[in-house]
Amino acid sequence: MVKFSKHVIEQAIEYFDGLCANCQSTPPNDPHHIRYKSDEGKGVFTNCLPVCRPCHIKIHNNASLSQHWKEWAKKEHGFDYWMDEWDREAKKYEKAMGS
């Protein structure tokens, strides 16, 4: 799953107390993939950053801000924050097979 489900978005909004994770002043209406979909980021709670539209645009246009949220997610949720259960299973299999 690459897109965020309604449940995942609701979880992320609740996690950030109903405010934009970036500016903390606006209700979030534009969930952001911390690790971008184009970089294999999945639609999981730990990869979902609830932000307002202006902050979403800022994050995509500012590499250091984008990196800030990636580092935050690694600290908060672990190095594989962007993976779904299928990715984790594949990693276990690769490790077991010696790849």
Side-chain angles (χ1 to χ4, degrees):
M1 170 179 36
V2 175
K3 290 186 177 186
F4 296 119
S5 69
K6 183 178 177 181
H7 176 72
V8 165
I9 294 168
E10 289 170 354
Q11 275 185 294
I13 290 171
E14 184 178 324
Y15 191 81
F16 284 93
D17 297 324
L19 296 173
C20 171
N22 196 60
C23 71
Q24 296 87 39
S25 64
T26 309
N29 59 1
D30 208 7
H32 169 67
H33 285 80
I34 299 169
R35 180 162 173 164
Y36 299 156
K37 294 182 289 185
S38 60
D39 195 21
E40 300 181 17
K42 301 301 192 288
V44 294
F45 163 71
T46 53
N47 193 39
C48 183
L49 192 68
V51 293
C52 62
R53 185 68 181 151
C55 284
H56 200 174
I57 293 167
K58 283 180 195 176
I59 293 168
H60 276 276
N61 289 327
N62 184 323
S64 64
L65 185 56
S66 177
Q67 187 61 36
H68 161 78
W69 285 111
K70 289 175 184 172
E71 293 301 319
W72 172 86
K74 286 178 192 172
K75 288 178 186 169
E76 192 75 11
H77 303 295
F79 75 95
D80 60 352
Y81 70 89
W82 55 275
M83 291 182 178
D84 62 17
E85 67 273 10
W86 305 108
D87 292 318
R88 289 188 180 93
E89 286 300 315
K91 288 280 185 193
K92 286 180 191 175
Y93 179 77
E94 288 173 7
K95 188 173 182 179
M97 299 305 290
S99 300

